[in-house]
Amino acid sequence: MAINYVTEEGLKKLKEELAHLESVERPKVIQQIAEARDKGDLSENAEYDAAKEAQGHLEAKIAKLKILLANSRTLDASKVDTSQVQILNKVTIKNVKNNAKMTYTLVPETEADLKSGKISVTTPIAKGLLGKKVGDQVEIKIPAGTATFEIIEISI
């Protein structure tokens, strides 16, 4: 599996999610299986089948999270350069056509959250900005066509 880059905050969230699944969700599913088993004949017990299926999904999710954590590398924000756009930078850009300004923080794919202004480095906008400097203009293909953006500020 590929290396998964995460921030300290992202790593904490992954660990919390894993702990929740193991300490809260797993016992719930085990309890559901036990209750369904107590109802008798397992060959025609839909509750038992559903609980076993839920257990399979939960265990798969736990295994996936453990692999993700094992392959995660934490990015150190204190070592991030602001002379050019890179992961963990907060970038303010201006749409040259309509002068609309937007500010995004470039984060690993697993931490993207557009509502809080965090976009994945794998998005077309982020890919177009990576390696550019303040004052550079870049043409980026967006769903509405191609747009030209000017980089106004790069910070952490």
Side-chain angles (χ1 to χ4, degrees), residues 42-143:
L42 297 180
S43 64
E44 294 180 17
N45 189 332
E47 281 182 53
Y48 179 78
D49 291 339
K52 287 298 280 183
E53 188 174 325
Q55 182 185 35
H57 289 298
L58 179 66
E59 292 303 327
K61 191 171 184 177
I62 288 171
K64 185 178 176 184
L65 266 174
K66 284 183 175 182
I67 291 169
L68 193 65
L69 280 166
N71 292 302
S72 291
R73 303 294 177 267
T74 307
L75 295 167
D76 186 352
S78 67
K79 295 181 180 172
V80 174
D81 180 23
T82 57
S83 64
Q84 63 183 15
V85 179
Q86 58 183 315
I87 193 166
L88 297 186
N89 281 153
K90 182 182 259 186
V91 184
T92 302
I93 56 175
K94 177 178 77 174
N95 185 323
V96 173
K97 192 173 188 177
N98 62 14
N99 286 330
K101 286 187 180 179
M102 297 154 276
T103 301
Y104 297 115
T105 301
L106 278 54
V107 296
E109 194 168 358
T110 56
E111 298 179 38
D113 179 13
L114 193 56
K115 288 180 183 171
S116 60
K118 295 178 179 180
I119 62 170
S120 166
V121 290
T122 61
T123 62
I125 289 178
K127 283 181 179 179
L129 295 174
L130 288 172
K132 304 296 188 268
K133 299 178 184 329
V134 171
D136 286 355
Q137 287 193 359
V138 292
E139 283 193 12
I140 300 172
K141 284 190 177 195
I142 56 174

Side-chain angles (χ1 to χ4, degrees), residues 4 36 76 145 155:
N4 175 46
D76 186 352
S155 60

Side-chain angles (χ1 to χ4, degrees), residues 25-46:
E25 297 301 322
R26 184 183 272 161
K28 276 187 196 174
V29 170
I30 291 170
Q31 181 63 36
Q32 290 171 352
I33 291 171
E35 288 173 6
R37 190 181 297 131
D38 291 343
K39 293 183 179 174
D41 185 10
L42 297 180
S43 64
E44 294 180 17
N45 189 332

